Amino acid sequence: MQELKKVREKLFQRNEELHKVMRVGLGETAAPGYRMRSLMEDTTRKALSEEYILQIAPEYKEFADAVRKELAALPQPAHGSAIGAENLWLWGGPTPEWGGSMLPDTLMRTAPTFNAENGVYVYGATNEEMIARHAGMKKLLAMVTTTCRAPGQQPETNAECAEKLSRLSLKDPNIKGGMMDDMTAQLDDVTPEKVEQVASVNKHLKMHNPALELYGVVYCHELGKKNFSQIHPLLDGVNLWFWYQEELLEIERYVDLCRKNFPGKKILMGLFLHDYGTADAGALPELLLHQLSHARAFLAEGKINGLVILGDREIMKWPEQAAAVKGFLAGK
C-alpha cells in the first residue's frame, strides 16, 4: 500500500500540473479518437483533450501497476447474483459540461449499451416534455435540485422543482423519485441549512405522491467525517460514489460504512467510467471489474439495491472502459 500511495501522489500532482499547463477543465479529457467518434455519432458535444491521456501515461502506468499488485492480494468476493436489468440504472441527461451530449434524449439513446432499464435523469429540465421522452424507462429518478444542473434548466426553486416532479408522477408512473446530486459534497459537515433544504425537498417531492423516494448522492470519503444523523430520516436512499478510483480497493469497508451511516436506507452504488478524483481519465478496467464483482455479491447479500453507471456522456469518451463493463454485465 505504501508503493500505491507514493505513485498515487505522483499521478495526482501530474494531473494538477497538466490541467494548468494544458488549460483542461475537470472531466474534459477523453481517449484518442474522441473527436472523430463525436463527429460520427453526436455533433452536439464539445471538443475534449485527447492529448492529456498521452501526457499522463507514464505516471498512470505506475499507478496501474501498483493497483494491480494490490488487487492480486485481495480475496475474491462470492459470485453472488447477476446484475440484472431491473437492478441497473444509467445516469445521464443533456449537459454542455464534462463532454456531455446536448441531445434531449441522450439517456434513452445510451441505456441499451448496458441493457439498463432504469434511468437517473439529470442536468436537463424537469418538465412534462422531458419526462415524456423517458417514458421507455421502467423506473426513473429525476433531478430535483440546482446543484450540477445544466445552465438555465431549472428556473424554479428546489421545492418547486420537487413538487412539479411529484405532480408529473401522477401521470407518468415510471417516475419513482428524485435525486439530489452532490447533496453535501461541498460542505465540511452537514449544516442546519442543508437539513432544512433536504426537508423541504422531501416534503414537496411527496406532496402529490407519497410513494416517491428521495435519494441523495454521497461520496465514500464523506463517510465517517460528516454527521448525517439529521438528514438520515429525510432520505429514502443514498447513491454512493467512489470519487477516487483507488478507494475501490476498500469497497467492502465503504459499503459497510455507508450502511452504518444510513441504516435501513436503500443504497444504489455508483460506478464511474471516468476517474474524476485521481487521474481525471478513464478508470482502470481492472478496478471496474473489481467493483462489478463486489456489486454482484452485495446485491445477493442485500447490502445494496442497485448499480448506477455514470453515464451517458462517458461511453463515447472511454470506449475501453465501457466495453469492459458491458462485457461483464453480459457475461452475468
Side-chain angles (χ1 to χ4, degrees), residues 28-76:
E28 295 180 355
T29 70
Y34 172 78
R35 185 58 179 163
M36 185 59 66
R37 291 192 294 275
S38 62
L39 286 174
M40 291 189 295
E41 301 176 40
D42 185 354
T43 56
T44 71
R45 297 175 182 238
K46 294 181 180 178
L48 301 178
S49 174
E50 300 172 34
E51 178 66 21
Y52 172 88
I53 190 64
L54 302 177
Q55 292 296 324
I56 207 170
E59 292 80 11
Y60 206 175
K61 182 180 183 304
E62 288 184 322
F63 174 79
D65 290 342
V67 166
R68 292 184 186 111
K69 288 181 181 179
E70 296 293 334
L71 282 172
L74 294 175
Q76 294 299 308

mmCIF file of all heavy atoms in Angstrom, residues 28-76:
data_model
loop_
_atom_site.group_PDB
_atom_site.id
_atom_site.type_symbol
_atom_site.label_atom_id
_atom_site.label_comp_id
_atom_site.label_asym_id
_atom_site.label_seq_id
_atom_site.Cartn_x
_atom_site.Cartn_y
_atom_site.Cartn_z
ATOM 1 N N GLU A 28 -12.805 17.065 -18.839
ATOM 2 C CA GLU A 28 -12.691 17.422 -20.256
ATOM 3 C C GLU A 28 -11.569 16.657 -20.946
ATOM 4 O O GLU A 28 -10.841 17.187 -21.771
ATOM 5 C CB GLU A 28 -12.473 18.932 -20.388
ATOM 6 C CG GLU A 28 -13.660 19.749 -19.901
ATOM 7 C CD GLU A 28 -13.449 21.241 -20.033
ATOM 8 O OE1 GLU A 28 -12.327 21.659 -20.420
ATOM 9 O OE2 GLU A 28 -14.385 21.999 -19.737
ATOM 10 N N THR A 29 -11.411 15.388 -20.586
ATOM 11 C CA THR A 29 -10.402 14.531 -21.196
ATOM 12 C C THR A 29 -11.087 13.303 -21.782
ATOM 13 O O THR A 29 -12.159 12.896 -21.328
ATOM 14 C CB THR A 29 -9.350 14.085 -20.168
ATOM 15 O OG1 THR A 29 -9.951 13.160 -19.229
ATOM 16 C CG2 THR A 29 -8.792 15.274 -19.403
ATOM 17 N N ALA A 30 -10.454 12.716 -22.794
ATOM 18 C CA ALA A 30 -11.047 11.552 -23.448
ATOM 19 C C ALA A 30 -9.958 10.742 -24.134
ATOM 20 O O ALA A 30 -8.858 11.232 -24.395
ATOM 21 C CB ALA A 30 -12.098 11.991 -24.468
ATOM 22 N N ALA A 31 -10.287 9.492 -24.431
ATOM 23 C CA ALA A 31 -9.358 8.619 -25.144
ATOM 24 C C ALA A 31 -9.167 9.120 -26.569
ATOM 25 O O ALA A 31 -10.080 9.712 -27.160
ATOM 26 C CB ALA A 31 -9.895 7.191 -25.152
ATOM 27 N N PRO A 32 -7.977 8.907 -27.142
ATOM 28 C CA PRO A 32 -7.735 9.325 -28.524
ATOM 29 C C PRO A 32 -8.812 8.812 -29.475
ATOM 30 O O PRO A 32 -9.305 7.690 -29.331
ATOM 31 C CB PRO A 32 -6.370 8.679 -28.828
ATOM 32 C CG PRO A 32 -5.683 8.637 -27.497
ATOM 33 C CD PRO A 32 -6.787 8.309 -26.514
ATOM 34 N N GLY A 33 -9.180 9.662 -30.435
ATOM 35 C CA GLY A 33 -10.229 9.323 -31.376
ATOM 36 C C GLY A 33 -11.592 9.851 -30.985
ATOM 37 O O GLY A 33 -12.574 9.662 -31.717
ATOM 38 N N TYR A 34 -11.651 10.544 -29.845
ATOM 39 C CA TYR A 34 -12.943 11.037 -29.350
ATOM 40 C C TYR A 34 -13.601 11.997 -30.346
ATOM 41 O O TYR A 34 -14.807 11.909 -30.605
ATOM 42 C CB TYR A 34 -12.759 11.742 -28.006
ATOM 43 C CG TYR A 34 -14.003 12.452 -27.533
ATOM 44 C CD1 TYR A 34 -15.042 11.735 -26.951
ATOM 45 C CD2 TYR A 34 -14.154 13.837 -27.682
ATOM 46 C CE1 TYR A 34 -16.207 12.379 -26.514
ATOM 47 C CE2 TYR A 34 -15.307 14.484 -27.252
ATOM 48 C CZ TYR A 34 -16.330 13.749 -26.673
ATOM 49 O OH TYR A 34 -17.470 14.385 -26.255
ATOM 50 N N ARG A 35 -12.821 12.920 -30.881
ATOM 51 C CA ARG A 35 -13.391 13.912 -31.785
ATOM 52 C C ARG A 35 -14.020 13.243 -32.997
ATOM 53 O O ARG A 35 -15.124 13.601 -33.423
ATOM 54 C CB ARG A 35 -12.322 14.917 -32.229
ATOM 55 C CG ARG A 35 -12.870 16.073 -33.078
ATOM 56 C CD ARG A 35 -13.934 16.828 -32.323
ATOM 57 N NE ARG A 35 -14.470 17.965 -33.078
ATOM 58 C CZ ARG A 35 -15.609 18.563 -32.788
ATOM 59 N NH1 ARG A 35 -16.346 18.128 -31.780
ATOM 60 N NH2 ARG A 35 -16.015 19.587 -33.509
ATOM 61 N N MET A 36 -13.343 12.238 -33.532
ATOM 62 C CA MET A 36 -13.884 11.533 -34.691
ATOM 63 C C MET A 36 -15.143 10.770 -34.299
ATOM 64 O O MET A 36 -16.130 10.742 -35.051
ATOM 65 C CB MET A 36 -12.847 10.562 -35.254
ATOM 66 C CG MET A 36 -13.290 9.875 -36.548
ATOM 67 S SD MET A 36 -13.653 11.047 -37.881
ATOM 68 C CE MET A 36 -11.997 11.725 -38.174
ATOM 69 N N ARG A 37 -15.132 10.164 -33.106
ATOM 70 C CA ARG A 37 -16.320 9.435 -32.651
ATOM 71 C C ARG A 37 -17.505 10.379 -32.491
ATOM 72 O O ARG A 37 -18.635 10.043 -32.874
ATOM 73 C CB ARG A 37 -16.036 8.736 -31.314
ATOM 74 C CG ARG A 37 -15.055 7.576 -31.414
ATOM 75 C CD ARG A 37 -15.022 6.747 -30.136
ATOM 76 N NE ARG A 37 -14.488 7.482 -28.979
ATOM 77 C CZ ARG A 37 -13.207 7.606 -28.685
ATOM 78 N NH1 ARG A 37 -12.289 7.065 -29.483
ATOM 79 N NH2 ARG A 37 -12.814 8.266 -27.602
ATOM 80 N N SER A 38 -17.252 11.562 -31.933
ATOM 81 C CA SER A 38 -18.352 12.502 -31.721
ATOM 82 C C SER A 38 -18.874 13.065 -33.042
ATOM 83 O O SER A 38 -20.075 13.305 -33.190
ATOM 84 C CB SER A 38 -17.920 13.633 -30.779
ATOM 85 O OG SER A 38 -16.854 14.373 -31.329
ATOM 86 N N LEU A 39 -17.991 13.255 -33.997
ATOM 87 C CA LEU A 39 -18.431 13.753 -35.301
ATOM 88 C C LEU A 39 -19.325 12.735 -36.004
ATOM 89 O O LEU A 39 -20.265 13.096 -36.715
ATOM 90 C CB LEU A 39 -17.217 14.069 -36.187
ATOM 91 C CG LEU A 39 -16.431 15.334 -35.831
ATOM 92 C CD1 LEU A 39 -15.181 15.440 -36.682
ATOM 93 C CD2 LEU A 39 -17.309 16.578 -36.023
ATOM 94 N N MET A 40 -19.063 11.466 -35.765
ATOM 95 C CA MET A 40 -19.860 10.416 -36.397
ATOM 96 C C MET A 40 -21.160 10.143 -35.639
ATOM 97 O O MET A 40 -22.172 9.797 -36.243
ATOM 98 C CB MET A 40 -19.045 9.119 -36.482
ATOM 99 C CG MET A 40 -17.887 9.173 -37.466
ATOM 100 S SD MET A 40 -17.134 7.554 -37.731
ATOM 101 C CE MET A 40 -16.466 7.217 -36.088
ATOM 102 N N GLU A 41 -21.146 10.319 -34.314
ATOM 103 C CA GLU A 41 -22.290 9.890 -33.516
ATOM 104 C C GLU A 41 -23.065 11.011 -32.835
ATOM 105 O O GLU A 41 -24.269 10.869 -32.598
ATOM 106 C CB GLU A 41 -21.818 8.893 -32.449
ATOM 107 C CG GLU A 41 -21.154 7.648 -33.014
ATOM 108 C CD GLU A 41 -20.630 6.742 -31.915
ATOM 109 O OE1 GLU A 41 -21.326 6.587 -30.895
ATOM 110 O OE2 GLU A 41 -19.523 6.205 -32.064
ATOM 111 N N ASP A 42 -22.410 12.102 -32.497
ATOM 112 C CA ASP A 42 -23.094 13.131 -31.708
ATOM 113 C C ASP A 42 -22.360 14.456 -31.837
ATOM 114 O O ASP A 42 -21.433 14.755 -31.088
ATOM 115 C CB ASP A 42 -23.153 12.698 -30.233
ATOM 116 C CG ASP A 42 -23.950 13.664 -29.373
ATOM 117 O OD1 ASP A 42 -24.364 14.721 -29.881
ATOM 118 O OD2 ASP A 42 -24.151 13.365 -28.174
ATOM 119 N N THR A 43 -22.790 15.274 -32.761
ATOM 120 C CA THR A 43 -22.097 16.545 -33.029
ATOM 121 C C THR A 43 -22.439 17.636 -32.020
ATOM 122 O O THR A 43 -21.925 18.752 -32.133
ATOM 123 C CB THR A 43 -22.445 17.053 -34.441
ATOM 124 O OG1 THR A 43 -23.870 17.177 -34.559
ATOM 125 C CG2 THR A 43 -21.941 16.090 -35.504
ATOM 126 N N THR A 44 -23.283 17.345 -31.044
ATOM 127 C CA THR A 44 -23.629 18.355 -30.038
ATOM 128 C C THR A 44 -22.557 18.487 -28.968
ATOM 129 O O THR A 44 -22.596 19.411 -28.147
ATOM 130 C CB THR A 44 -24.966 18.020 -29.345
ATOM 131 O OG1 THR A 44 -24.795 16.877 -28.493
ATOM 132 C CG2 THR A 44 -26.057 17.738 -30.365
ATOM 133 N N ARG A 45 -21.601 17.570 -28.949
ATOM 134 C CA ARG A 45 -20.592 17.575 -27.892
ATOM 135 C C ARG A 45 -19.432 18.504 -28.217
ATOM 136 O O ARG A 45 -19.032 18.645 -29.370
ATOM 137 C CB ARG A 45 -20.037 16.158 -27.687
ATOM 138 C CG ARG A 45 -21.076 15.156 -27.227
ATOM 139 C CD ARG A 45 -20.492 13.769 -27.168
ATOM 140 N NE ARG A 45 -21.476 12.779 -26.780
ATOM 141 C CZ ARG A 45 -21.353 11.980 -25.724
ATOM 142 N NH1 ARG A 45 -20.280 12.045 -24.963
ATOM 143 N NH2 ARG A 45 -22.291 11.099 -25.447
ATOM 144 N N LYS A 46 -18.889 19.111 -27.167
ATOM 145 C CA LYS A 46 -17.722 19.968 -27.324
ATOM 146 C C LYS A 46 -16.465 19.122 -27.457
ATOM 147 O O LYS A 46 -16.414 17.974 -27.017
ATOM 148 C CB LYS A 46 -17.582 20.898 -26.111
ATOM 149 C CG LYS A 46 -18.690 21.923 -25.969
ATOM 150 C CD LYS A 46 -18.451 22.806 -24.755
ATOM 151 C CE LYS A 46 -19.546 23.847 -24.604
ATOM 152 N NZ LYS A 46 -19.342 24.698 -23.387
ATOM 153 N N ALA A 47 -15.431 19.707 -28.066
ATOM 154 C CA ALA A 47 -14.154 19.021 -28.189
ATOM 155 C C ALA A 47 -13.517 18.854 -26.810
ATOM 156 O O ALA A 47 -13.632 19.721 -25.949
ATOM 157 C CB ALA A 47 -13.224 19.813 -29.096
ATOM 158 N N LEU A 48 -12.851 17.708 -26.591
ATOM 159 C CA LEU A 48 -12.148 17.429 -25.345
ATOM 160 C C LEU A 48 -10.687 17.179 -25.636
ATOM 161 O O LEU A 48 -10.285 16.997 -26.788
ATOM 162 C CB LEU A 48 -12.760 16.197 -24.660
ATOM 163 C CG LEU A 48 -14.250 16.272 -24.304
ATOM 164 C CD1 LEU A 48 -14.699 14.961 -23.677
ATOM 165 C CD2 LEU A 48 -14.523 17.430 -23.365
ATOM 166 N N SER A 49 -9.877 17.157 -24.602
ATOM 167 C CA SER A 49 -8.446 16.916 -24.779
ATOM 168 C C SER A 49 -8.169 15.428 -24.935
ATOM 169 O O SER A 49 -8.404 14.642 -24.017
ATOM 170 C CB SER A 49 -7.650 17.452 -23.587
ATOM 171 O OG SER A 49 -6.283 17.088 -23.712
ATOM 172 N N GLU A 50 -7.669 15.054 -26.084
ATOM 173 C CA GLU A 50 -7.232 13.678 -26.321
ATOM 174 C C GLU A 50 -5.733 13.539 -26.041
ATOM 175 O O GLU A 50 -5.225 12.428 -25.915
ATOM 176 C CB GLU A 50 -7.544 13.276 -27.762
ATOM 177 C CG GLU A 50 -9.023 13.343 -28.099
ATOM 178 C CD GLU A 50 -9.313 13.126 -29.566
ATOM 179 O OE1 GLU A 50 -8.585 12.345 -30.211
ATOM 180 O OE2 GLU A 50 -10.279 13.741 -30.088
ATOM 181 N N GLU A 51 -5.056 14.669 -25.908
ATOM 182 C CA GLU A 51 -3.622 14.682 -25.650
ATOM 183 C C GLU A 51 -3.320 14.423 -24.177
ATOM 184 O O GLU A 51 -2.272 13.851 -23.842
ATOM 185 C CB GLU A 51 -3.034 16.035 -26.065
ATOM 186 C CG GLU A 51 -1.543 16.200 -25.812
ATOM 187 C CD GLU A 51 -0.678 15.271 -26.652
ATOM 188 O OE1 GLU A 51 -1.152 14.787 -27.703
ATOM 189 O OE2 GLU A 51 0.485 15.038 -26.248
ATOM 190 N N TYR A 52 -4.229 14.830 -23.308
ATOM 191 C CA TYR A 52 -3.995 14.710 -21.866
ATOM 192 C C TYR A 52 -3.632 13.291 -21.452
ATOM 193 O O TYR A 52 -2.662 13.078 -20.715
ATOM 194 C CB TYR A 52 -5.241 15.177 -21.109
ATOM 195 C CG TYR A 52 -5.195 14.927 -19.618
ATOM 196 C CD1 TYR A 52 -4.633 15.853 -18.752
ATOM 197 C CD2 TYR A 52 -5.716 13.754 -19.070
ATOM 198 C CE1 TYR A 52 -4.581 15.620 -17.378
ATOM 199 C CE2 TYR A 52 -5.674 13.516 -17.706
ATOM 200 C CZ TYR A 52 -5.109 14.440 -16.869
ATOM 201 O OH TYR A 52 -5.053 14.199 -15.517
ATOM 202 N N ILE A 53 -4.388 12.306 -21.923
ATOM 203 C CA ILE A 53 -4.149 10.924 -21.509
ATOM 204 C C ILE A 53 -2.789 10.428 -21.998
ATOM 205 O O ILE A 53 -2.145 9.588 -21.358
ATOM 206 C CB ILE A 53 -5.285 9.992 -22.004
ATOM 207 C CG1 ILE A 53 -5.166 8.608 -21.370
ATOM 208 C CG2 ILE A 53 -5.306 9.908 -23.511
ATOM 209 C CD1 ILE A 53 -5.329 8.569 -19.882
ATOM 210 N N LEU A 54 -2.307 10.970 -23.101
ATOM 211 C CA LEU A 54 -0.987 10.599 -23.596
ATOM 212 C C LEU A 54 0.106 11.213 -22.725
ATOM 213 O O LEU A 54 1.128 10.576 -22.446
ATOM 214 C CB LEU A 54 -0.822 11.061 -25.052
ATOM 215 C CG LEU A 54 -1.851 10.515 -26.052
ATOM 216 C CD1 LEU A 54 -1.607 11.108 -27.435
ATOM 217 C CD2 LEU A 54 -1.790 8.989 -26.107
ATOM 218 N N GLN A 55 -0.119 12.440 -22.279
ATOM 219 C CA GLN A 55 0.875 13.127 -21.459
ATOM 220 C C GLN A 55 0.981 12.532 -20.055
ATOM 221 O O GLN A 55 2.056 12.534 -19.445
ATOM 222 C CB GLN A 55 0.520 14.617 -21.357
ATOM 223 C CG GLN A 55 0.655 15.373 -22.668
ATOM 224 C CD GLN A 55 2.083 15.407 -23.171
ATOM 225 O OE1 GLN A 55 3.034 15.491 -22.394
ATOM 226 N NE2 GLN A 55 2.245 15.322 -24.478
ATOM 227 N N ILE A 56 -0.131 12.018 -19.547
ATOM 228 C CA ILE A 56 -0.129 11.488 -18.182
ATOM 229 C C ILE A 56 0.183 9.995 -18.156
ATOM 230 O O ILE A 56 0.282 9.388 -17.080
ATOM 231 C CB ILE A 56 -1.490 11.766 -17.496
ATOM 232 C CG1 ILE A 56 -1.302 11.847 -15.972
ATOM 233 C CG2 ILE A 56 -2.543 10.711 -17.868
ATOM 234 C CD1 ILE A 56 -2.512 12.352 -15.229
ATOM 235 N N ALA A 57 0.387 9.401 -19.319
ATOM 236 C CA ALA A 57 0.537 7.941 -19.440
ATOM 237 C C ALA A 57 1.640 7.335 -18.560
ATOM 238 O O ALA A 57 1.404 6.297 -17.921
ATOM 239 C CB ALA A 57 0.762 7.569 -20.905
ATOM 240 N N PRO A 58 2.842 7.920 -18.460
ATOM 241 C CA PRO A 58 3.880 7.287 -17.622
ATOM 242 C C PRO A 58 3.479 7.179 -16.154
ATOM 243 O O PRO A 58 3.663 6.128 -15.527
ATOM 244 C CB PRO A 58 5.088 8.220 -17.808
ATOM 245 C CG PRO A 58 4.863 8.870 -19.131
ATOM 246 C CD PRO A 58 3.382 9.079 -19.204
ATOM 247 N N GLU A 59 2.939 8.260 -15.613
ATOM 248 C CA GLU A 59 2.513 8.243 -14.207
ATOM 249 C C GLU A 59 1.301 7.327 -13.998
ATOM 250 O O GLU A 59 1.192 6.664 -12.964
ATOM 251 C CB GLU A 59 2.170 9.658 -13.744
ATOM 252 C CG GLU A 59 3.366 10.600 -13.642
ATOM 253 C CD GLU A 59 3.801 11.170 -14.983
ATOM 254 O OE1 GLU A 59 3.056 11.010 -15.991
ATOM 255 O OE2 GLU A 59 4.878 11.798 -15.041
ATOM 256 N N TYR A 60 0.427 7.303 -14.994
ATOM 257 C CA TYR A 60 -0.752 6.446 -14.881
ATOM 258 C C TYR A 60 -0.367 4.970 -14.931
ATOM 259 O O TYR A 60 -0.964 4.131 -14.257
ATOM 260 C CB TYR A 60 -1.753 6.778 -15.992
ATOM 261 C CG TYR A 60 -3.194 6.447 -15.636
ATOM 262 C CD1 TYR A 60 -4.236 6.781 -16.505
ATOM 263 C CD2 TYR A 60 -3.545 5.817 -14.445
ATOM 264 C CE1 TYR A 60 -5.563 6.507 -16.193
ATOM 265 C CE2 TYR A 60 -4.862 5.531 -14.126
ATOM 266 C CZ TYR A 60 -5.856 5.870 -15.004
ATOM 267 O OH TYR A 60 -7.180 5.588 -14.684
ATOM 268 N N LYS A 61 0.646 4.644 -15.712
ATOM 269 C CA LYS A 61 1.102 3.250 -15.790
ATOM 270 C C LYS A 61 1.670 2.798 -14.450
ATOM 271 O O LYS A 61 1.405 1.671 -13.993
ATOM 272 C CB LYS A 61 2.153 3.078 -16.888
ATOM 273 C CG LYS A 61 2.629 1.635 -17.050
ATOM 274 C CD LYS A 61 3.674 1.500 -18.133
ATOM 275 C CE LYS A 61 4.064 0.037 -18.314
ATOM 276 N NZ LYS A 61 4.536 -0.611 -17.066
ATOM 277 N N GLU A 62 2.460 3.648 -13.809
ATOM 278 C CA GLU A 62 2.995 3.302 -12.487
ATOM 279 C C GLU A 62 1.873 3.067 -11.490
ATOM 280 O O GLU A 62 1.907 2.118 -10.699
ATOM 281 C CB GLU A 62 3.907 4.428 -11.982
ATOM 282 C CG GLU A 62 5.237 4.536 -12.704
ATOM 283 C CD GLU A 62 6.117 5.607 -12.090
ATOM 284 O OE1 GLU A 62 5.587 6.658 -11.680
ATOM 285 O OE2 GLU A 62 7.349 5.389 -12.006
ATOM 286 N N PHE A 63 0.880 3.938 -11.540
ATOM 287 C CA PHE A 63 -0.282 3.806 -10.662
ATOM 288 C C PHE A 63 -1.018 2.499 -10.951
ATOM 289 O O PHE A 63 -1.383 1.756 -10.026
ATOM 290 C CB PHE A 63 -1.203 5.006 -10.882
ATOM 291 C CG PHE A 63 -2.507 4.943 -10.148
ATOM 292 C CD1 PHE A 63 -2.585 5.261 -8.800
ATOM 293 C CD2 PHE A 63 -3.678 4.579 -10.815
ATOM 294 C CE1 PHE A 63 -3.799 5.219 -8.118
ATOM 295 C CE2 PHE A 63 -4.889 4.534 -10.140
ATOM 296 C CZ PHE A 63 -4.947 4.854 -8.795
ATOM 297 N N ALA A 64 -1.239 2.215 -12.221
ATOM 298 C CA ALA A 64 -1.961 0.997 -12.613
ATOM 299 C C ALA A 64 -1.230 -0.248 -12.151
ATOM 300 O O ALA A 64 -1.847 -1.206 -11.663
ATOM 301 C CB ALA A 64 -2.152 0.976 -14.132
ATOM 302 N N ASP A 65 0.084 -0.268 -12.292
ATOM 303 C CA ASP A 65 0.875 -1.429 -11.861
ATOM 304 C C ASP A 65 0.750 -1.640 -10.356
ATOM 305 O O ASP A 65 0.622 -2.781 -9.881
ATOM 306 C CB ASP A 65 2.344 -1.242 -12.242
ATOM 307 C CG ASP A 65 2.586 -1.340 -13.750
ATOM 308 O OD1 ASP A 65 1.712 -1.875 -14.447
ATOM 309 O OD2 ASP A 65 3.648 -0.883 -14.212
ATOM 310 N N ALA A 66 0.773 -0.542 -9.603
ATOM 311 C CA ALA A 66 0.643 -0.643 -8.144
ATOM 312 C C ALA A 66 -0.749 -1.120 -7.747
ATOM 313 O O ALA A 66 -0.904 -1.919 -6.823
ATOM 314 C CB ALA A 66 0.954 0.705 -7.498
ATOM 315 N N VAL A 67 -1.774 -0.639 -8.450
ATOM 316 C CA VAL A 67 -3.147 -1.074 -8.179
ATOM 317 C C VAL A 67 -3.290 -2.569 -8.459
ATOM 318 O O VAL A 67 -3.916 -3.298 -7.675
ATOM 319 C CB VAL A 67 -4.151 -0.266 -9.026
ATOM 320 C CG1 VAL A 67 -5.528 -0.938 -9.016
ATOM 321 C CG2 VAL A 67 -4.264 1.154 -8.513
ATOM 322 N N ARG A 68 -2.696 -3.033 -9.539
ATOM 323 C CA ARG A 68 -2.811 -4.455 -9.896
ATOM 324 C C ARG A 68 -2.172 -5.335 -8.829
ATOM 325 O O ARG A 68 -2.673 -6.428 -8.530
ATOM 326 C CB ARG A 68 -2.168 -4.701 -11.260
ATOM 327 C CG ARG A 68 -2.926 -4.048 -12.413
ATOM 328 C CD ARG A 68 -2.328 -4.369 -13.760
ATOM 329 N NE ARG A 68 -2.995 -3.612 -14.813
ATOM 330 C CZ ARG A 68 -2.431 -2.627 -15.504
ATOM 331 N NH1 ARG A 68 -1.167 -2.284 -15.277
ATOM 332 N NH2 ARG A 68 -3.123 -1.987 -16.426
ATOM 333 N N LYS A 69 -1.091 -4.876 -8.238
ATOM 334 C CA LYS A 69 -0.456 -5.641 -7.158
ATOM 335 C C LYS A 69 -1.385 -5.728 -5.953
ATOM 336 O O LYS A 69 -1.498 -6.783 -5.322
ATOM 337 C CB LYS A 69 0.873 -4.981 -6.758
ATOM 338 C CG LYS A 69 1.989 -5.144 -7.783
ATOM 339 C CD LYS A 69 3.270 -4.478 -7.289
ATOM 340 C CE LYS A 69 4.392 -4.613 -8.312
ATOM 341 N NZ LYS A 69 5.646 -3.946 -7.839
ATOM 342 N N GLU A 70 -2.024 -4.621 -5.626
ATOM 343 C CA GLU A 70 -2.955 -4.616 -4.505
ATOM 344 C C GLU A 70 -4.154 -5.517 -4.787
ATOM 345 O O GLU A 70 -4.616 -6.253 -3.902
ATOM 346 C CB GLU A 70 -3.429 -3.192 -4.215
ATOM 347 C CG GLU A 70 -2.336 -2.234 -3.761
ATOM 348 C CD GLU A 70 -1.765 -2.587 -2.389
ATOM 349 O OE1 GLU A 70 -2.494 -3.209 -1.593
ATOM 350 O OE2 GLU A 70 -0.600 -2.230 -2.135
ATOM 351 N N LEU A 71 -4.653 -5.462 -6.004
ATOM 352 C CA LEU A 71 -5.794 -6.286 -6.372
ATOM 353 C C LEU A 71 -5.470 -7.774 -6.281
ATOM 354 O O LEU A 71 -6.294 -8.580 -5.833
ATOM 355 C CB LEU A 71 -6.266 -5.952 -7.795
ATOM 356 C CG LEU A 71 -7.109 -4.692 -7.980
ATOM 357 C CD1 LEU A 71 -7.320 -4.414 -9.459
ATOM 358 C CD2 LEU A 71 -8.445 -4.832 -7.277
ATOM 359 N N ALA A 72 -4.269 -8.120 -6.697
ATOM 360 C CA ALA A 72 -3.871 -9.532 -6.687
ATOM 361 C C ALA A 72 -3.837 -10.107 -5.280
ATOM 362 O O ALA A 72 -3.992 -11.322 -5.091
ATOM 363 C CB ALA A 72 -2.503 -9.681 -7.352
ATOM 364 N N ALA A 73 -3.622 -9.253 -4.297
ATOM 365 C CA ALA A 73 -3.529 -9.716 -2.904
ATOM 366 C C ALA A 73 -4.885 -9.763 -2.205
ATOM 367 O O ALA A 73 -4.979 -10.262 -1.082
ATOM 368 C CB ALA A 73 -2.583 -8.798 -2.131
ATOM 369 N N LEU A 74 -5.922 -9.263 -2.849
ATOM 370 C CA LEU A 74 -7.241 -9.220 -2.216
ATOM 371 C C LEU A 74 -8.018 -10.509 -2.481
ATOM 372 O O LEU A 74 -7.921 -11.081 -3.568
ATOM 373 C CB LEU A 74 -8.051 -8.032 -2.746
ATOM 374 C CG LEU A 74 -7.526 -6.637 -2.395
ATOM 375 C CD1 LEU A 74 -8.379 -5.574 -3.090
ATOM 376 C CD2 LEU A 74 -7.535 -6.421 -0.889
ATOM 377 N N PRO A 75 -8.807 -10.964 -1.508
ATOM 378 C CA PRO A 75 -9.645 -12.143 -1.730
ATOM 379 C C PRO A 75 -10.763 -11.826 -2.713
ATOM 380 O O PRO A 75 -11.235 -10.686 -2.792
ATOM 381 C CB PRO A 75 -10.203 -12.444 -0.339
ATOM 382 C CG PRO A 75 -10.176 -11.131 0.366
ATOM 383 C CD PRO A 75 -8.947 -10.425 -0.147
ATOM 384 N N GLN A 76 -11.181 -12.825 -3.460
ATOM 385 C CA GLN A 76 -12.254 -12.628 -4.415
ATOM 386 C C GLN A 76 -13.603 -12.726 -3.705
ATOM 387 O O GLN A 76 -13.787 -13.545 -2.811
ATOM 388 C CB GLN A 76 -12.177 -13.683 -5.523
ATOM 389 C CG GLN A 76 -10.951 -13.550 -6.402
ATOM 390 C CD GLN A 76 -10.910 -12.215 -7.126
ATOM 391 O OE1 GLN A 76 -11.865 -11.823 -7.777
ATOM 392 N NE2 GLN A 76 -9.794 -11.514 -6.995
#
